[in-house]
């Protein structure tokens, strides 16, 4: 059976595509690292400009600078040193609560490696449920880099009204 004939191979290919797209937008120096839970199971993806998080972040950046639009947002995001990564590289939003928490715990080690490699100036957790996972992955940064222990609230993303 070819890898893409079963569901697993197709998901692995999509995850690889997402990571290649994400890498194209990695800034030379990461000043502000946003950490999400995972890409959505829907197949939408922030760096493909089609996710709810993308629209919410675009709206927040546009509110601060009206020259930022859908046409230039990802370039501005990158040029200002912003980058988005996830605790889990594969979607977890359709898993039951226990499996979702287990997946996030399992993702801490690879997240820690990414954080060490990126050396961000500031880390912001985007979701309250992953706060502990992000803190576990970034213990060496405590005291050296500001870290938001409270998730930001993003309008239109179901978790608040303000950025």
């Amino acid at each position: 059976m070819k890898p893409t004939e079963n569901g697993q191979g197709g998901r692995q290919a999509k995850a690889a595509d997402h990571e290649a797209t994400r890498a194209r937008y990695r800034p030379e120096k990461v000043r502000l690292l946003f950490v999400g839970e995972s890409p959505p199971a829907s197949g939408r993806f922030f760096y493909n400009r089609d996710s709810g998080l993308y629209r919410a972040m675009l709206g927040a950046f546009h509110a601060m600078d009206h020259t930022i639009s859908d046409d230039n947002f990802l370039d501005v995001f990158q040029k200002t040193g912003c980058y988005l990564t996830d605790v889990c590289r594969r979607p977890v939003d359709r898993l039951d609560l226990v499996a979702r928490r287990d997946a996030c715990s399992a993702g801490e080690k690879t997240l820690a490696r990414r954080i060490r490699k990126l050396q961000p100036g500031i880390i912001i957790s985007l979701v309250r449920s992953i706060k502990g996972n992000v803190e576990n992955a970034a213990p060496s940064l405590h005291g050296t880099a500001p870290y938001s222990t409270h998730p930001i609230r993003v309008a239109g993303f179901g978790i608040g009204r303000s950025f």
Side-chain angles (χ1 to χ4, degrees):
M1 184 179 283
K2 294 178 188 172
T4 56
E5 287 179 1
N6 64 25
Q8 186 66 21
R11 284 189 293 275
Q12 289 172 346
K14 184 162 285 252
D17 290 345
H18 283 170
E19 292 314 308
T21 301
R22 184 191 311 263
R24 282 197 305 269
Y25 288 101
R26 186 175 61 230
E28 196 170 307
K29 171 65 179 143
V30 177
R31 296 174 55 200
L32 180 56
L33 180 65
F34 293 96
V35 181
E37 184 179 44
S38 74
S42 66
R44 294 186 172 125
F45 184 58
F46 178 83
Y47 285 106
N48 285 343
R49 301 173 15 172
D50 63 0
S51 73
L53 178 60
Y54 171 83
R55 289 186 299 277
M57 296 282 275
L58 167 60
F61 275 67
H62 177 77
M64 294 174 18
D65 179 347
H66 293 292
T67 66
I68 297 173
S69 68
D70 187 43
D71 292 333
N72 67 4
F73 172 59
L74 288 178
D75 291 330
V76 170
F77 194 74
Q78 178 185 34
K79 287 176 184 169
T80 57
C82 295
Y83 192 58
L84 171 70
T85 193
D86 294 298
V87 174
C88 302
R89 294 297 200 174
R90 290 190 173 71
V92 299
D93 55 320
R94 292 188 182 155
L95 299 178
D96 65 64
L97 185 59
V98 172
R100 195 172 184 162
R101 285 183 183 159
D102 289 347
C104 288
S105 292
E108 290 174 9
K109 189 181 279 188
T110 56
L111 177 61
R113 282 194 296 269
R114 275 179 277 165
I115 289 171
R116 278 193 302 273
K117 181 180 178 182
L118 296 170
Q119 290 295 300
I122 299 171
I123 302 172
I124 297 179
S125 175
L126 290 173
V127 185
R128 181 178 296 121
S129 65
I130 62 167
K131 174 186 170 205
N133 304 109
V134 176
E135 289 175 343
N136 291 341
S140 63
L141 294 179
H142 292 304
T144 61
Y147 170 72
S148 172
T149 58
H150 303 287
I152 62 169
R153 295 169 10 141
V154 183
F157 196 55
I159 55 176
R161 293 189 157 197
S162 61
F163 186 75

